Amino acid sequence: MKFVSILVVFMAGAVLGLSVSAHFKQYFNSQADLFFPKTMYTANCDKDCLSIKSFVKPTHLMHSMTDDELFWRASMVPKVEDYPFERVPKVAFMFMTRGPLPFVPLWDKFFKGHEGLYSVYVHALPDYKLNVSEDSAFYGRQIPSEEVSWGSVTLVDAEKRLLANALLDFSNERFVLLSESCIPVYNFPTVYEYLINSEHSFVESYDEDSPQGRGRYNRYMAPHIKLYQWRKGSEWFELNRELAVTMVADYKYYALFRKYCKPSCYPDEHYIPTYLNMFHGSLNANRSLTWVDWSRGGPHPATYGAPSITADFIQAIRNNGTFCMYNSRPTSICFLFARKFAPNALESLLNLTSTVMDF
């Protein structure tokens, strides 16, 4: 009986010892793993890590940001002057259209051979899908868009949306707004050098004492915007990066136009011209780079189709005998683009690219 009792006590001690031993072994192993892990857990940096490359140039244009989120993100400006990557300044060509871009073949010919010096952005109707070949400069270049109505503040929204998406690429230095009826009238090297080397942006801004000018001013915009500050100009602008950031970041004055500039006041003709006149007049050349013919009168400019397209006509746009100021010096090159052109003008224009437009 005494032997059995001793055996029971021995077995209980053995079990208890094994249990305590296992517990301490597990404890010390877990503590050791904290400092000397057997398995190294690493993120897949091709997918999960934030890199400078993905930050300064997003791979895809489509995103889920709201306009407010997009404008906040796009208005960020680095304080460090030197770029931590090799930055080649680019020109952002921003197309605002409701549907097809009939002059894609002409623009593709214009862009060919100059990859890395330009970016293309397209704002179309939300349900429209641009159908171009994979080797086109326009392939995959549609941005998230919203419905746009002519004459309303939604046109300004679309302009700011294009600017903001283009600003996400830190290499974009100049930003030009174009439509589906616009064409280039010079080759790419001429356009690129003209814009990149310019000391000014190109926004038409003038004071017009008429029902179509000062007559569109709303006195409720005062005291923030006064009548003598009110300006009018062409919608088709060109901005440098500094001013593009400023326009995207502005909400105070945009809100006034949204509230008080309604038909027969057209925000796209007044918002940017007025804002730049108030705050950045010295940075503006005060003219548009897009030629347009208003000589026939009416609410819309003249449209030119195939019968009008001749070498003399294009040459007259390129150099019509007038002079303008470029970097404070007179020049005969005043327009780099032109509108409006009908889709049936494409073939005639393509036939003139090598002989007149030099591309």
Side-chain angles (χ1 to χ4, degrees):
M1 186 67 181
K2 183 178 181 180
F3 173 77
V4 173
S5 298
I6 293 173
L7 182 61
V8 170
V9 171
F10 174 79
M11 292 300 293
V15 171
L16 180 61
L18 289 172
S19 175
V20 171
S21 175
H23 173 77
F24 275 98
K25 183 178 179 181
Q26 182 180 10
Y27 173 78
F28 284 115
N29 283 345
S30 65
Q31 294 300 307
D33 282 343
L34 290 175
F35 300 98
F36 310 104
K38 297 176 181 178
T39 305
M40 299 297 292
Y41 295 95
T42 59
N44 183 349
C45 276
D46 289 337
K47 298 180 180 179
D48 304 323
C49 289
L50 179 64
S51 67
I52 188 67
K53 184 176 180 180
S54 63
F55 182 76
V56 301
K57 183 183 178 182
T59 306
H60 304 290
L61 295 188
M62 300 307 294
H63 55 75
S64 60
M65 289 184 282
T66 64
D67 279 352
D68 287 342
E69 293 168 339
L70 173 65
F71 298 164
W72 178 83
R73 167 69 176 81
S75 60
M76 293 182 178
V77 179
K79 293 296 184 181
V80 178
E81 291 185 5
D82 296 330
Y83 291 91
F85 61 97
E86 185 177 352
R87 182 179 187 264
V88 177
K90 297 191 295 186
V91 176
F93 293 83
M94 308 179 303
F95 291 83
M96 187 156 58
T97 179
R98 296 187 61 82
L101 291 170
F103 297 111
V104 163
L106 182 69
W107 284 103
D108 276 338
K109 195 170 183 180
F110 168 80
F111 289 129
K112 187 176 181 180
H114 305 289
E115 292 74 15
L117 298 178
Y118 67 86
S119 302
V120 172
Y121 300 87
V122 179
H123 187 293
L125 293 177
D127 58 349
Y128 180 77
K129 302 299 180 184
L130 188 62
N131 183 22
V132 295
S133 62
E134 292 187 13
D135 60 350
S136 171
F138 293 81
Y139 182 76
R141 303 308 297 176
Q142 274 186 260
I143 66 168
S145 62
E146 298 289 343
E147 195 79 29
V148 173
S149 300
W150 182 81
S152 75
V153 77
T154 59
L155 278 170
V156 174
D157 294 337
E159 294 170 2
K160 295 183 73 166
R161 206 172 289 126
L162 279 164
L163 284 171
N165 278 277
L167 281 168
L168 296 182
D169 185 337
F170 277 74
S171 291
N172 286 332
E173 184 62 30
R174 310 292 301 209
F175 303 78
V176 57
L177 182 67
L178 302 157
S179 76
E180 75 280 1
S181 66
C182 286
I183 66 165
V185 294
Y186 284 93
N187 60 23
F188 184 89
T190 301
V191 171
Y192 180 84
E193 294 296 327
Y194 196 100
L195 297 180
I196 292 297
N197 294 325
S198 176
E199 299 171 358
H200 302 90
S201 293
F202 297 90
V203 178
E204 188 179 51
S205 177
Y206 58 91
D207 180 14
E208 181 180 296
D209 188 8
S210 73
Q212 292 74 38
R214 289 196 173 197
R216 295 175 178 175
Y217 173 77
N218 189 320
R219 61 186 177 87
Y220 289 107
M221 290 183 168
H224 303 293
I225 302 174
K226 299 178 181 178
L227 178 60
Y228 76 88
Q229 298 170 315
W230 184 255
R231 292 294 184 272
K232 181 181 178 180
S234 170
E235 175 185 1
W236 311 105
F237 61 76
E238 191 280 337
L239 297 173
N240 64 19
R241 188 173 184 90
E242 177 185 355
L243 291 183
V245 170
T246 299
M247 297 311 310
V248 167
D250 171 60
Y251 180 76
K252 176 181 177 179
Y253 294 92
Y254 163 81
L256 291 172
F257 276 86
R258 186 177 190 88
K259 187 174 183 179
Y260 297 118
C261 185
K262 298 179 179 180
S264 60
C265 175
Y266 304 106
D268 57 300
E269 294 182 3
H270 296 280
Y271 170 58
I272 295 181
T274 298
Y275 187 92
L276 293 189
N277 172 62
M278 291 174 64
F279 301 110
H280 303 284
S282 63
L283 301 179
N284 184 24
N286 198 21
R287 61 185 177 89
S288 174
L289 294 175
T290 301
W291 178 89
V292 63
D293 181 8
W294 288 98
S295 64
R296 302 178 188 181
H300 300 287
T303 299
Y304 292 92
S308 302
I309 309 304
T310 64
D312 289 341
F313 175 63
I314 299 300
Q315 193 59 50
I317 297 174
R318 286 161 55 99
N319 189 348
N320 58 12
T322 61
F323 287 86
C324 54
M325 301 301 290
Y326 176 79
N327 290 348
S328 303
R329 296 180 179 179
T331 179
S332 61
I333 300 178
C334 299
F335 299 108
L336 303 180
F337 314 101
R339 65 185 300 268
K340 298 174 64 172
F341 290 86
N344 66 9
L346 175 61
E347 290 301 321
S348 299
L349 289 167
L350 286 172
N351 292 335
L352 295 176
T353 55
S354 59
T355 57
V356 180
M357 294 180 275
D358 301 322
F359 61 86

